[in-house]
Amino acid sequence: MDSINCKWSKIIGLPSVVEVGKKLAILYDGKSDFGKSVNIKTHMERDIGLAWLDLPLVLPQKKY
């Protein structure tokens, strides 16, 4: 996860993953008010993001 695939947060923390049935849950921390906080490096007042991926993971096919 990075700021390209996560529009609500420009700061993305380390993710955790959990398999739930035929899906992969990705939990990560971020900060939705990036730039409004005086100290953006703090681990306080962070938000939690959740993303779902279908399993099995499939790599994109190259187009030649």
Side-chain angles (χ1 to χ4, degrees), residues 1-63:
M1 300 299 296
D2 61 21
S3 61
I4 293 172
N5 15 38
C6 181
K7 300 300 180 193
W8 64 268
S9 179
K10 300 301 180 196
I11 300 174
I12 303 295
L14 292 174
S16 296
V17 296
V18 179
E19 186 176 346
V20 181
K22 294 183 178 181
K23 292 193 175 271
L24 189 67
I26 305 169
L27 299 130
Y28 56 96
D29 67 302
K31 191 161 179 64
S32 63
D33 65 347
F34 178 73
K36 297 177 185 175
S37 176
V38 175
N39 185 3
I40 62 170
K41 294 181 180 179
T42 182
H43 291 286
M44 303 298 291
E45 299 179 14
R46 304 278 292 229
D47 301 303
I48 301 296
L50 171 63
W52 291 97
L53 294 175
D54 292 326
L55 292 175
L57 298 177
V58 179
L59 293 175
Q61 299 296 317
K62 288 186 178 181
K63 295 180 181 178

